[in-house]
Amino acid sequence: MECPFCMIAAGTIPADLVHADDRVVAFRDINPQAPVHVLVIPREHHGNVGALATANPELLGDLLAAAAQIAADEDLDAGYRLVINTGGDGGQTVDHVHVHLLGGRHLTWPPG
């Protein structure tokens, strides 16, 4: 089975894009958990954050920088949350590293 996030990055699956450059793509989550819920992914396939951090730590920095810029563009001045789920027990459901950018409401702790 082909990776759905790779297909979104390639443009073969449509998504509501909010950012795209040569290394990073960001799009609105189809099942949002907050008024702003954007997924930020690398164009390169890496299964999880550990694999990405080992293979290309600079790209991990690019993901976080893109998320911060999108938060600013979305007027999340009051705050936002970045989440990277890893593995089944961590809540990762797509085997392609992705950052969840959540904001637009007060976010409580613990998350769940």
Side-chain angles (χ1 to χ4, degrees):
M1 185 169 114
E2 202 165 331
C3 172
F5 286 179
C6 287
M7 294 172 76
I8 288 171
T12 57
I13 292 179
D16 184 2
L17 297 182
V18 296
H19 173 87
D21 62 34
D22 59 327
R23 296 170 57 90
V24 175
V25 175
F27 52 94
R28 299 201 187 278
D29 194 296
I30 61 171
N31 185 26
Q33 302 301 303
V36 174
H37 188 169
V38 173
L39 301 179
V40 185
I41 66 169
R43 286 189 183 273
E44 273 180 26
H45 182 88
H46 296 275
N48 60 54
V49 70
L52 175 57
T54 299
N56 192 341
E58 183 180 310
L59 183 54
L60 182 55
D62 292 342
L63 287 181
L64 297 178
Q69 182 58 58
I70 295 161
D73 294 345
E74 296 283 331
D75 298 320
L76 299 179
D77 302 327
Y80 57 91
R81 182 173 291 161
L82 300 178
V83 177
I84 304 174
N85 299 324
T86 303
D89 282 355
Q92 185 177 6
T93 58
V94 176
D95 185 30
H96 185 122
V97 65
H98 52 287
V99 177
H100 294 261
L101 166 61
L102 301 151
R105 67 171 171 82
H106 179 75
L107 300 168
T108 59
W109 195 262

